Amino acid sequence: MKKTFGAFFVGLLLLVSHISLAGSSVQPLAKIEIFQDEETLKRGVMVYYNSCRLCHSMKYIRYQDLVEIGFSTAEIKKLRGRLTEKRLTSINSAVILTQIYGLVPPDLSLMAKARSQGPQYIYTLLTSYYEKSANIYDNKLFPGIRMPDIFSHSLALNPQEKTKTENKILDVTAFLVWASDPKAQERKSLGKYVIAYLVGLSIMFYFVMKRVWGRLE
């Protein structure tokens, strides 16, 4: 009985290991540097707006939030056009997207945090398309992905075109990183003042304590 259970347990472990390996990708994540300056983020917004918004929404980001990365009210109004939505929503409806892809593409608001090494994952995913067979494309990082190569990175044979495409992908990746935590930079700046305040307060309490204990002695 024990031998039977042991054999079953070992078999189960082997099966789980096999499934884990089959579902994982051997494609290494690209080592990239993400910049969070206003110009990069604004370019990233435009890349999202012109390419990604056909299918993907960003329901946690409002148009008004774009003021924080340098957009003026006039620019935001121009971006929205006649849209009445307050948040960044996809152009196509969930019904149409389901008919095309069989599911609704994921919201991108928190995508940079949804994956381990999110920024590297996003960039690598968008630059890992290749021609699997005649006019059939796949992705090395996510085999069987339903999303097309929207930036045509796999078709950019000219080094100049490839660099231009990769810069666009870097820009939209930077925007998705910002969107996943819009207040990150504000917290970092505030944190410096808080630490400085606590250090100053600690020094003051040290001298007060020293003076009080000096009297007791």
Side-chain angles (χ1 to χ4, degrees), residues 28-83:
L29 298 184
K31 296 180 180 179
I32 56 170
E33 186 175 2
I34 298 297
F35 297 98
Q36 292 284 286
D37 58 281
E38 283 190 1
E39 289 304 314
T40 298
L41 293 175
K42 288 178 76 173
R43 288 197 304 267
V45 170
M46 298 313 300
V47 174
Y48 161 77
Y49 213 76
N50 295 323
S51 301
C52 310
R53 196 171 67 97
L54 289 170
C55 302
H56 296 278
S57 293
M58 298 187 73
K59 62 184 179 182
Y60 297 118
I61 301 298
R62 301 173 302 169
Y63 279 94
Q64 195 58 36
D65 294 332
L66 301 181
V67 170
E68 298 180 21
I69 56 176
F71 278 89
S72 65
T73 303
E75 288 175 323
I76 292 174
K77 285 183 178 179
K78 184 177 179 180
L79 202 62
R80 290 183 66 177
R82 296 181 179 180
L83 296 176

Short mmCIF file of all heavy atoms in Angstrom, two decimals, residues 28-83:
data_model
loop_
_atom_site.label_atom_id
_atom_site.label_comp_id
_atom_site.label_asym_id
_atom_site.label_seq_id
_atom_site.Cartn_x
_atom_site.Cartn_y
_atom_site.Cartn_z
N PRO A 28 14.16 34.70 -22.47
CA PRO A 28 14.61 35.59 -21.39
C PRO A 28 14.02 36.99 -21.52
O PRO A 28 13.77 37.45 -22.64
CB PRO A 28 16.13 35.60 -21.57
CG PRO A 28 16.33 35.33 -23.02
CD PRO A 28 15.23 34.38 -23.41
N LEU A 29 13.78 37.64 -20.41
CA LEU A 29 13.24 38.99 -20.44
C LEU A 29 14.35 39.99 -20.78
O LEU A 29 15.47 39.86 -20.32
CB LEU A 29 12.62 39.34 -19.08
CG LEU A 29 11.45 38.48 -18.63
CD1 LEU A 29 10.89 39.00 -17.31
CD2 LEU A 29 10.35 38.42 -19.68
N ALA A 30 13.97 40.97 -21.59
CA ALA A 30 14.95 41.97 -22.01
C ALA A 30 15.36 42.86 -20.84
O ALA A 30 14.55 43.17 -19.97
CB ALA A 30 14.34 42.82 -23.12
N LYS A 31 16.61 43.24 -20.83
CA LYS A 31 17.11 44.16 -19.81
C LYS A 31 16.98 45.58 -20.35
O LYS A 31 17.74 45.99 -21.23
CB LYS A 31 18.57 43.84 -19.47
CG LYS A 31 18.75 42.46 -18.83
CD LYS A 31 20.22 42.19 -18.51
CE LYS A 31 20.38 40.81 -17.88
NZ LYS A 31 21.81 40.51 -17.58
N ILE A 32 16.01 46.29 -19.85
CA ILE A 32 15.73 47.63 -20.36
C ILE A 32 15.69 48.63 -19.22
O ILE A 32 15.52 48.28 -18.06
CB ILE A 32 14.38 47.67 -21.11
CG1 ILE A 32 13.25 47.16 -20.19
CG2 ILE A 32 14.44 46.88 -22.39
CD1 ILE A 32 11.87 47.39 -20.75
N GLU A 33 15.85 49.89 -19.58
CA GLU A 33 15.74 50.98 -18.60
C GLU A 33 14.50 51.80 -18.94
O GLU A 33 14.32 52.22 -20.09
CB GLU A 33 16.99 51.86 -18.65
CG GLU A 33 17.01 52.92 -17.57
CD GLU A 33 18.31 53.72 -17.55
OE1 GLU A 33 19.18 53.45 -18.41
OE2 GLU A 33 18.45 54.61 -16.69
N ILE A 34 13.65 51.99 -17.95
CA ILE A 34 12.41 52.72 -18.16
C ILE A 34 12.57 54.15 -17.63
O ILE A 34 12.94 54.36 -16.48
CB ILE A 34 11.24 52.04 -17.42
CG1 ILE A 34 11.01 50.64 -17.98
CG2 ILE A 34 9.97 52.88 -17.56
CD1 ILE A 34 10.61 50.60 -19.43
N PHE A 35 12.30 55.12 -18.48
CA PHE A 35 12.36 56.53 -18.09
C PHE A 35 10.96 57.04 -17.80
O PHE A 35 10.00 56.68 -18.48
CB PHE A 35 13.01 57.35 -19.21
CG PHE A 35 14.43 56.97 -19.50
CD1 PHE A 35 14.72 56.13 -20.56
CD2 PHE A 35 15.46 57.43 -18.70
CE1 PHE A 35 16.04 55.76 -20.83
CE2 PHE A 35 16.77 57.06 -18.96
CZ PHE A 35 17.06 56.22 -20.03
N GLN A 36 10.85 57.89 -16.80
CA GLN A 36 9.54 58.39 -16.38
C GLN A 36 9.43 59.91 -16.53
O GLN A 36 8.66 60.55 -15.84
CB GLN A 36 9.29 58.01 -14.92
CG GLN A 36 9.10 56.51 -14.68
CD GLN A 36 7.73 56.02 -15.12
OE1 GLN A 36 6.74 56.26 -14.47
NE2 GLN A 36 7.69 55.32 -16.25
N ASP A 37 10.20 60.48 -17.46
CA ASP A 37 10.09 61.91 -17.70
C ASP A 37 8.81 62.21 -18.48
O ASP A 37 8.22 61.32 -19.10
CB ASP A 37 11.31 62.41 -18.48
CG ASP A 37 11.48 61.69 -19.81
OD1 ASP A 37 11.99 60.54 -19.82
OD2 ASP A 37 11.07 62.25 -20.85
N GLU A 38 8.39 63.46 -18.46
CA GLU A 38 7.11 63.84 -19.06
C GLU A 38 7.04 63.53 -20.55
O GLU A 38 6.02 63.05 -21.05
CB GLU A 38 6.84 65.33 -18.82
CG GLU A 38 6.36 65.64 -17.41
CD GLU A 38 5.87 67.08 -17.29
OE1 GLU A 38 5.88 67.81 -18.30
OE2 GLU A 38 5.46 67.46 -16.17
N GLU A 39 8.12 63.82 -21.28
CA GLU A 39 8.09 63.61 -22.72
C GLU A 39 7.90 62.14 -23.08
O GLU A 39 7.13 61.80 -23.98
CB GLU A 39 9.38 64.15 -23.36
CG GLU A 39 9.48 65.66 -23.37
CD GLU A 39 8.29 66.32 -24.07
OE1 GLU A 39 7.93 65.84 -25.17
OE2 GLU A 39 7.73 67.28 -23.54
N THR A 40 8.60 61.27 -22.35
CA THR A 40 8.46 59.83 -22.59
C THR A 40 7.04 59.37 -22.30
O THR A 40 6.44 58.62 -23.08
CB THR A 40 9.45 59.03 -21.72
OG1 THR A 40 10.79 59.41 -22.06
CG2 THR A 40 9.30 57.53 -21.93
N LEU A 41 6.49 59.81 -21.17
CA LEU A 41 5.15 59.39 -20.78
C LEU A 41 4.09 59.92 -21.74
O LEU A 41 3.14 59.21 -22.08
CB LEU A 41 4.84 59.86 -19.35
CG LEU A 41 5.69 59.20 -18.25
CD1 LEU A 41 5.38 59.83 -16.90
CD2 LEU A 41 5.43 57.70 -18.20
N LYS A 42 4.27 61.14 -22.21
CA LYS A 42 3.31 61.70 -23.15
C LYS A 42 3.35 60.95 -24.49
O LYS A 42 2.31 60.68 -25.08
CB LYS A 42 3.60 63.19 -23.37
CG LYS A 42 3.24 64.06 -22.17
CD LYS A 42 3.59 65.52 -22.39
CE LYS A 42 2.60 66.20 -23.31
NZ LYS A 42 2.84 67.66 -23.39
N ARG A 43 4.55 60.59 -24.91
CA ARG A 43 4.65 59.78 -26.14
C ARG A 43 4.00 58.41 -25.91
O ARG A 43 3.33 57.87 -26.80
CB ARG A 43 6.12 59.59 -26.54
CG ARG A 43 6.80 60.84 -27.08
CD ARG A 43 8.07 60.49 -27.82
NE ARG A 43 8.99 59.71 -27.00
CZ ARG A 43 9.97 60.24 -26.27
NH1 ARG A 43 10.14 61.55 -26.23
NH2 ARG A 43 10.77 59.46 -25.56
N GLY A 44 4.19 57.86 -24.71
CA GLY A 44 3.58 56.57 -24.38
C GLY A 44 2.07 56.62 -24.42
O GLY A 44 1.42 55.66 -24.86
N VAL A 45 1.50 57.72 -23.96
CA VAL A 45 0.04 57.90 -24.01
C VAL A 45 -0.44 57.86 -25.46
O VAL A 45 -1.44 57.20 -25.79
CB VAL A 45 -0.38 59.24 -23.36
CG1 VAL A 45 -1.84 59.53 -23.64
CG2 VAL A 45 -0.13 59.20 -21.86
N MET A 46 0.28 58.54 -26.33
CA MET A 46 -0.12 58.60 -27.74
C MET A 46 0.02 57.23 -28.41
O MET A 46 -0.81 56.87 -29.26
CB MET A 46 0.71 59.65 -28.48
CG MET A 46 0.53 61.07 -27.95
SD MET A 46 -1.20 61.56 -27.68
CE MET A 46 -1.87 61.38 -29.33
N VAL A 47 1.05 56.46 -28.02
CA VAL A 47 1.20 55.12 -28.58
C VAL A 47 0.02 54.25 -28.14
O VAL A 47 -0.58 53.53 -28.94
CB VAL A 47 2.53 54.47 -28.13
CG1 VAL A 47 2.59 53.01 -28.59
CG2 VAL A 47 3.71 55.24 -28.68
N TYR A 48 -0.32 54.34 -26.84
CA TYR A 48 -1.48 53.59 -26.35
C TYR A 48 -2.74 54.02 -27.09
O TYR A 48 -3.54 53.20 -27.54
CB TYR A 48 -1.68 53.82 -24.85
CG TYR A 48 -3.07 53.45 -24.39
CD1 TYR A 48 -3.45 52.13 -24.20
CD2 TYR A 48 -4.04 54.44 -24.20
CE1 TYR A 48 -4.74 51.78 -23.84
CE2 TYR A 48 -5.34 54.11 -23.84
CZ TYR A 48 -5.69 52.78 -23.65
OH TYR A 48 -6.97 52.45 -23.30
N TYR A 49 -2.91 55.33 -27.23
CA TYR A 49 -4.13 55.87 -27.80
C TYR A 49 -4.30 55.49 -29.27
O TYR A 49 -5.42 55.22 -29.73
CB TYR A 49 -4.12 57.40 -27.66
CG TYR A 49 -5.49 57.98 -27.45
CD1 TYR A 49 -6.12 57.89 -26.22
CD2 TYR A 49 -6.18 58.62 -28.49
CE1 TYR A 49 -7.38 58.41 -26.02
CE2 TYR A 49 -7.45 59.15 -28.30
CZ TYR A 49 -8.04 59.03 -27.06
OH TYR A 49 -9.30 59.54 -26.87
N ASN A 50 -3.20 55.42 -30.01
CA ASN A 50 -3.27 55.14 -31.44
C ASN A 50 -3.16 53.65 -31.78
O ASN A 50 -3.58 53.25 -32.87
CB ASN A 50 -2.15 55.89 -32.18
CG ASN A 50 -2.32 57.40 -32.10
OD1 ASN A 50 -3.43 57.90 -32.15
ND2 ASN A 50 -1.21 58.11 -31.96
N SER A 51 -2.63 52.84 -30.86
CA SER A 51 -2.42 51.43 -31.17
C SER A 51 -3.15 50.48 -30.23
O SER A 51 -3.86 49.59 -30.67
CB SER A 51 -0.91 51.11 -31.16
OG SER A 51 -0.22 51.91 -32.10
N CYS A 52 -2.97 50.68 -28.93
CA CYS A 52 -3.48 49.72 -27.96
C CYS A 52 -4.97 49.89 -27.66
O CYS A 52 -5.65 48.93 -27.29
CB CYS A 52 -2.70 49.82 -26.65
SG CYS A 52 -0.92 49.77 -26.87
N ARG A 53 -5.47 51.11 -27.80
CA ARG A 53 -6.85 51.42 -27.39
C ARG A 53 -7.89 50.77 -28.28
O ARG A 53 -9.08 50.76 -27.96
CB ARG A 53 -7.04 52.94 -27.33
CG ARG A 53 -8.29 53.38 -26.57
CD ARG A 53 -8.27 54.88 -26.38
NE ARG A 53 -8.42 55.57 -27.63
CZ ARG A 53 -9.57 56.04 -28.11
NH1 ARG A 53 -10.67 55.91 -27.41
NH2 ARG A 53 -9.61 56.67 -29.27
N LEU A 54 -7.46 50.22 -29.42
CA LEU A 54 -8.40 49.51 -30.29
C LEU A 54 -9.03 48.34 -29.53
O LEU A 54 -10.19 48.00 -29.76
CB LEU A 54 -7.68 48.99 -31.53
CG LEU A 54 -7.25 50.04 -32.56
CD1 LEU A 54 -6.34 49.41 -33.59
CD2 LEU A 54 -8.47 50.67 -33.21
N CYS A 55 -8.26 47.74 -28.63
CA CYS A 55 -8.74 46.56 -27.91
C CYS A 55 -8.69 46.68 -26.39
O CYS A 55 -9.50 46.06 -25.69
CB CYS A 55 -7.92 45.33 -28.32
SG CYS A 55 -7.95 44.97 -30.09
N HIS A 56 -7.74 47.44 -25.88
CA HIS A 56 -7.50 47.47 -24.43
C HIS A 56 -8.01 48.76 -23.78
O HIS A 56 -7.75 49.85 -24.27
CB HIS A 56 -6.01 47.33 -24.13
CG HIS A 56 -5.42 46.03 -24.56
ND1 HIS A 56 -5.52 44.89 -23.79
CD2 HIS A 56 -4.73 45.68 -25.67
CE1 HIS A 56 -4.91 43.89 -24.40
NE2 HIS A 56 -4.44 44.34 -25.55
N SER A 57 -8.69 48.58 -22.65
CA SER A 57 -9.10 49.73 -21.83
C SER A 57 -8.09 49.95 -20.71
O SER A 57 -7.24 49.10 -20.45
CB SER A 57 -10.48 49.47 -21.22
OG SER A 57 -11.48 49.42 -22.20
N MET A 58 -8.22 51.11 -20.06
CA MET A 58 -7.44 51.40 -18.85
C MET A 58 -8.42 52.05 -17.87
O MET A 58 -8.41 53.27 -17.66
CB MET A 58 -6.25 52.31 -19.17
CG MET A 58 -5.26 51.68 -20.13
SD MET A 58 -3.76 52.65 -20.38
CE MET A 58 -2.93 52.38 -18.81
N LYS A 59 -9.27 51.22 -17.29
CA LYS A 59 -10.41 51.71 -16.53
C LYS A 59 -10.04 52.46 -15.25
O LYS A 59 -10.87 53.17 -14.69
CB LYS A 59 -11.35 50.56 -16.19
CG LYS A 59 -10.73 49.47 -15.32
CD LYS A 59 -11.69 48.32 -15.11
CE LYS A 59 -11.08 47.22 -14.26
NZ LYS A 59 -12.00 46.08 -14.11
N TYR A 60 -8.82 52.30 -14.77
CA TYR A 60 -8.42 53.00 -13.54
C TYR A 60 -7.74 54.34 -13.82
O TYR A 60 -7.33 55.02 -12.89
CB TYR A 60 -7.50 52.11 -12.71
CG TYR A 60 -8.17 50.85 -12.22
CD1 TYR A 60 -7.71 49.59 -12.61
CD2 TYR A 60 -9.29 50.90 -11.39
CE1 TYR A 60 -8.35 48.43 -12.17
CE2 TYR A 60 -9.93 49.75 -10.96
CZ TYR A 60 -9.44 48.51 -11.35
OH TYR A 60 -10.07 47.37 -10.94
N ILE A 61 -7.62 54.69 -15.08
CA ILE A 61 -6.99 55.96 -15.46
C ILE A 61 -8.03 56.88 -16.08
O ILE A 61 -8.70 56.51 -17.05
CB ILE A 61 -5.83 55.74 -16.45
CG1 ILE A 61 -4.77 54.83 -15.83
CG2 ILE A 61 -5.21 57.07 -16.86
CD1 ILE A 61 -4.12 55.39 -14.58
N ARG A 62 -8.17 58.07 -15.50
CA ARG A 62 -9.09 59.06 -16.04
C ARG A 62 -8.34 59.99 -17.00
O ARG A 62 -7.13 60.16 -16.89
CB ARG A 62 -9.71 59.89 -14.92
CG ARG A 62 -10.48 59.09 -13.88
CD ARG A 62 -10.89 60.00 -12.74
NE ARG A 62 -9.72 60.63 -12.13
CZ ARG A 62 -9.76 61.62 -11.26
NH1 ARG A 62 -10.93 62.13 -10.91
NH2 ARG A 62 -8.66 62.12 -10.75
N TYR A 63 -9.06 60.59 -17.91
CA TYR A 63 -8.43 61.56 -18.81
C TYR A 63 -7.79 62.68 -18.00
O TYR A 63 -6.70 63.16 -18.33
CB TYR A 63 -9.47 62.14 -19.77
CG TYR A 63 -9.74 61.24 -20.96
CD1 TYR A 63 -10.81 60.34 -20.93
CD2 TYR A 63 -8.94 61.29 -22.09
CE1 TYR A 63 -11.06 59.51 -22.02
CE2 TYR A 63 -9.19 60.46 -23.18
CZ TYR A 63 -10.25 59.57 -23.13
OH TYR A 63 -10.48 58.74 -24.19
N GLN A 64 -8.46 63.07 -16.93
CA GLN A 64 -7.96 64.16 -16.11
C GLN A 64 -6.63 63.81 -15.43
O GLN A 64 -5.83 64.69 -15.11
CB GLN A 64 -9.00 64.56 -15.05
CG GLN A 64 -8.75 65.89 -14.37
CD GLN A 64 -8.69 67.05 -15.36
OE1 GLN A 64 -9.41 67.06 -16.36
NE2 GLN A 64 -7.82 68.01 -15.09
N ASP A 65 -6.38 62.53 -15.23
CA ASP A 65 -5.12 62.10 -14.62
C ASP A 65 -3.91 62.43 -15.48
O ASP A 65 -2.78 62.52 -14.98
CB ASP A 65 -5.13 60.58 -14.35
CG ASP A 65 -6.15 60.19 -13.31
OD1 ASP A 65 -6.46 61.02 -12.43
OD2 ASP A 65 -6.66 59.05 -13.36
N LEU A 66 -4.14 62.60 -16.78
CA LEU A 66 -3.04 62.87 -17.70
C LEU A 66 -2.41 64.25 -17.46
O LEU A 66 -1.31 64.53 -17.96
CB LEU A 66 -3.53 62.76 -19.14
CG LEU A 66 -4.11 61.39 -19.55
CD1 LEU A 66 -4.53 61.40 -21.01
CD2 LEU A 66 -3.10 60.28 -19.29
N VAL A 67 -3.10 65.09 -16.71
CA VAL A 67 -2.54 66.39 -16.33
C VAL A 67 -1.24 66.18 -15.55
O VAL A 67 -0.30 66.97 -15.65
CB VAL A 67 -3.56 67.19 -15.48
CG1 VAL A 67 -2.91 68.44 -14.88
CG2 VAL A 67 -4.76 67.59 -16.34
N GLU A 68 -1.18 65.11 -14.76
CA GLU A 68 -0.03 64.84 -13.91
C GLU A 68 1.23 64.52 -14.69
O GLU A 68 2.34 64.59 -14.15
CB GLU A 68 -0.35 63.69 -12.95
CG GLU A 68 -1.51 63.99 -12.01
CD GLU A 68 -1.80 62.84 -11.08
OE1 GLU A 68 -0.90 62.00 -10.86
OE2 GLU A 68 -2.93 62.78 -10.57
N ILE A 69 1.10 64.17 -15.96
CA ILE A 69 2.30 63.89 -16.75
C ILE A 69 2.52 64.93 -17.85
O ILE A 69 3.24 64.69 -18.82
CB ILE A 69 2.26 62.47 -17.37
CG1 ILE A 69 1.01 62.27 -18.23
CG2 ILE A 69 2.33 61.42 -16.29
CD1 ILE A 69 0.97 60.92 -18.93
N GLY A 70 1.90 66.09 -17.66
CA GLY A 70 2.21 67.22 -18.52
C GLY A 70 1.21 67.59 -19.58
O GLY A 70 1.43 68.54 -20.34
N PHE A 71 0.08 66.88 -19.68
CA PHE A 71 -0.93 67.24 -20.67
C PHE A 71 -1.71 68.46 -20.18
O PHE A 71 -2.09 68.54 -19.01
CB PHE A 71 -1.90 66.09 -20.91
CG PHE A 71 -1.39 65.05 -21.87
CD1 PHE A 71 -0.64 63.98 -21.41
CD2 PHE A 71 -1.64 65.16 -23.23
CE1 PHE A 71 -0.17 63.02 -22.28
CE2 PHE A 71 -1.18 64.20 -24.12
CZ PHE A 71 -0.43 63.13 -23.65
N SER A 72 -1.95 69.40 -21.08
CA SER A 72 -2.77 70.56 -20.74
C SER A 72 -4.24 70.19 -20.89
O SER A 72 -4.59 69.17 -21.50
CB SER A 72 -2.44 71.73 -21.66
OG SER A 72 -2.80 71.42 -23.00
N THR A 73 -5.10 71.01 -20.33
CA THR A 73 -6.54 70.76 -20.45
C THR A 73 -6.97 70.76 -21.92
O THR A 73 -7.80 69.95 -22.34
CB THR A 73 -7.33 71.85 -19.69
OG1 THR A 73 -6.92 71.86 -18.32
CG2 THR A 73 -8.83 71.57 -19.74
N ALA A 74 -6.38 71.66 -22.71
CA ALA A 74 -6.71 71.73 -24.14
C ALA A 74 -6.28 70.46 -24.86
O ALA A 74 -7.00 69.95 -25.73
CB ALA A 74 -6.02 72.94 -24.76
N GLU A 75 -5.11 69.94 -24.51
CA GLU A 75 -4.62 68.70 -25.14
C GLU A 75 -5.51 67.52 -24.79
O GLU A 75 -5.77 66.65 -25.63
CB GLU A 75 -3.18 68.43 -24.70
CG GLU A 75 -2.15 69.37 -25.32
CD GLU A 75 -0.76 69.15 -24.77
OE1 GLU A 75 -0.64 68.87 -23.55
OE2 GLU A 75 0.21 69.27 -25.54
N ILE A 76 -5.97 67.49 -23.54
CA ILE A 76 -6.85 66.40 -23.12
C ILE A 76 -8.18 66.47 -23.84
O ILE A 76 -8.72 65.44 -24.28
CB ILE A 76 -7.07 66.45 -21.59
CG1 ILE A 76 -5.75 66.11 -20.86
CG2 ILE A 76 -8.16 65.47 -21.15
CD1 ILE A 76 -5.82 66.27 -19.36
N LYS A 77 -8.73 67.67 -24.01
CA LYS A 77 -9.99 67.83 -24.74
C LYS A 77 -9.83 67.38 -26.19
O LYS A 77 -10.72 66.73 -26.75
CB LYS A 77 -10.42 69.30 -24.70
CG LYS A 77 -11.00 69.74 -23.35
CD LYS A 77 -11.48 71.17 -23.41
CE LYS A 77 -12.09 71.59 -22.08
NZ LYS A 77 -12.55 73.01 -22.12
N LYS A 78 -8.69 67.69 -26.78
CA LYS A 78 -8.43 67.27 -28.16
C LYS A 78 -8.31 65.75 -28.24
O LYS A 78 -8.78 65.12 -29.19
CB LYS A 78 -7.14 67.92 -28.65
CG LYS A 78 -6.83 67.64 -30.11
CD LYS A 78 -5.57 68.37 -30.55
CE LYS A 78 -5.26 68.06 -32.01
NZ LYS A 78 -4.03 68.78 -32.48
N LEU A 79 -7.71 65.17 -27.21
CA LEU A 79 -7.52 63.72 -27.17
C LEU A 79 -8.87 63.00 -27.04
O LEU A 79 -9.11 61.99 -27.70
CB LEU A 79 -6.63 63.36 -25.98
CG LEU A 79 -5.88 62.02 -26.00
CD1 LEU A 79 -4.92 61.97 -27.18
CD2 LEU A 79 -5.11 61.83 -24.70
N ARG A 80 -9.73 63.55 -26.21
CA ARG A 80 -11.05 62.93 -25.99
C ARG A 80 -11.96 63.11 -27.18
O ARG A 80 -12.80 62.25 -27.48
CB ARG A 80 -11.71 63.54 -24.75
CG ARG A 80 -11.05 63.17 -23.45
CD ARG A 80 -11.80 63.75 -22.27
NE ARG A 80 -13.14 63.18 -22.13
CZ ARG A 80 -13.97 63.48 -21.16
NH1 ARG A 80 -13.61 64.37 -20.23
NH2 ARG A 80 -15.16 62.92 -21.08
N GLY A 81 -11.84 64.25 -27.85
CA GLY A 81 -12.73 64.52 -28.98
C GLY A 81 -14.16 64.60 -28.50
O GLY A 81 -14.49 65.34 -27.57
N ARG A 82 -15.03 63.79 -29.08
CA ARG A 82 -16.45 63.82 -28.72
C ARG A 82 -16.80 62.75 -27.69
O ARG A 82 -17.98 62.55 -27.37
CB ARG A 82 -17.30 63.61 -29.97
CG ARG A 82 -17.16 64.74 -30.99
CD ARG A 82 -18.05 64.48 -32.20
NE ARG A 82 -17.95 65.56 -33.17
CZ ARG A 82 -18.63 65.59 -34.31
NH1 ARG A 82 -19.44 64.58 -34.60
NH2 ARG A 82 -18.48 66.60 -35.15
N LEU A 83 -15.81 62.05 -27.19
CA LEU A 83 -16.08 61.00 -26.21
C LEU A 83 -16.62 61.59 -24.91
O LEU A 83 -16.20 62.66 -24.48
CB LEU A 83 -14.80 60.20 -25.92
CG LEU A 83 -14.20 59.41 -27.09
CD1 LEU A 83 -12.90 58.77 -26.66
CD2 LEU A 83 -15.19 58.34 -27.56
#
